[in-house]
Amino acid sequence: MSIQPLPAFEPPYLMTVFTSVRTGEAPGYAETAVRMAELVKEIPGYLGHENAHTPGGLSITVAYFRDEAALTEWRTQQEHQRAQKQGRDEWYDSYTVHVATVERSHGFVRKH
Amino acid sequence: MSIQPLPAFEPPYLMTVFTSVRTGEAPGYAETAVRMAELVKEIPGYLGHENAHTPGGLSITVAYFRDEAALTEWRTQQEHQRAQKQGRDEWYDSYTVHVATVERSHGFVRKH
């Protein structure tokens, strides 16, 4: 199956955009990323996430949640909080987080 | 100067997330992308945009606008509308657009 963007969910929903540039050294990064991708699925109200990464450049991760309660649960999850700290200590050269409410969305899929 | 994510702007502001997968054939795509990146700068209330692209996979473009009026002006700009149509006709296999209001944001930059 070919790669596709996540579909438009039914608004309103929350969307967090995490834009980041990594440091050169990142021991433990890949394992933690895999673990976090598993862990977030346990959060009720988690809708999905997707990432794009320009080699040697910017990475953008977008995560979607049904409501504020779901996002709060994820943001304050203990193992996730430890990963966030390790990110600031070791993995990221810089990042920005934008938390937003999606008011409308739509998608397009080519007919083959 | 090294690559950095765009900084957190002062909320509230609008954020559009455009996630896409391209078709193999894309004549005219690169030139149009460059042209659109120039053209959007003319919109009052445009704050910036950034993109990450996994080779052969997902591309994510995030654009930031001060308010709905700025986004509407960009969305309905004639040359941009022609590019959007060409995108559906030729360049994109699938895409999703999420339009959201950013309520909070923060950034991190490592001290060197």
Side-chain angles (χ1 to χ4, degrees):
Chain A
M1 165 157 171
S2 61
I3 290 165
Q4 271 194 13
L6 287 176
F9 303 102
E10 179 74 22
Y13 50 95
L14 287 195
M15 173 171 77
T16 66
V17 168
F18 179 74
T19 57
S20 64
V21 173
R22 297 218 287 272
T23 58
E25 308 122 67
Y29 173 81
E31 297 86 330
T32 302
V34 169
R35 172 69 180 146
M36 291 301 122
E38 282 302 311
L39 205 56
V40 71
K41 290 180 190 164
E42 296 175 10
I43 305 287
Y46 163 75
L47 300 175
H49 76 276
E50 55 200 338
N51 171 265
H53 182 201
T54 302
L58 192 68
S59 179
I60 301 179
T61 298
V62 188
Y64 308 92
F65 296 89
R66 180 40 65 199
D67 54 27
E68 192 75 41
L71 175 58
T72 299
E73 187 167 337
W74 175 236
R75 195 168 45 78
T76 57
Q77 204 274 359
Q78 287 209 342
E79 194 173 338
H80 182 213
Q81 288 207 319
R82 285 196 297 275
Q84 290 175 63
K85 181 176 187 313
Q86 200 171 358
R88 287 187 296 273
D89 288 347
E90 301 175 35
W91 298 326
Y92 296 113
D93 193 64
S94 53
Y95 66 73
T96 304
V97 181
H98 310 263
V99 181
T101 299
V102 178
E103 277 122 27
R104 56 188 187 274
S105 53
H106 66 274
F108 164 82
V109 178
R110 181 172 303 282
K111 292 185 181 68
H112 288 281
Chain B
M1 172 165 166
S2 62
I3 289 165
Q4 271 195 13
L6 287 175
F9 303 102
E10 179 74 21
Y13 50 95
L14 287 195
M15 173 170 77
T16 67
V17 168
F18 178 75
T19 58
S20 64
V21 174
R22 296 219 286 272
T23 58
E25 307 124 66
Y29 173 80
E31 298 86 330
T32 303
V34 169
R35 171 70 180 147
M36 291 302 123
E38 282 302 311
L39 204 57
V40 70
K41 290 180 191 165
E42 296 175 11
I43 306 286
Y46 162 75
L47 300 174
H49 76 277
E50 55 199 338
N51 170 266
H53 182 201
T54 303
L58 192 68
S59 179
I60 301 179
T61 298
V62 188
Y64 308 92
F65 295 89
R66 180 41 65 198
D67 54 28
E68 192 76 42
L71 175 57
T72 299
E73 187 168 338
W74 175 236
R75 197 167 44 78
T76 58
Q77 205 275 357
Q78 287 209 340
E79 195 173 339
H80 182 213
Q81 288 207 321
R82 284 196 297 276
Q84 289 175 63
K85 181 177 187 314
Q86 200 172 358
R88 287 187 297 273
D89 288 347
E90 301 175 34
W91 297 325
Y92 296 112
D93 194 63
S94 53
Y95 66 73
T96 304
V97 181
H98 309 262
V99 181
T101 299
V102 178
E103 277 121 28
R104 55 189 189 273
S105 53
H106 66 274
F108 165 80
V109 178
R110 180 172 303 284
K111 292 186 180 68
H112 288 281

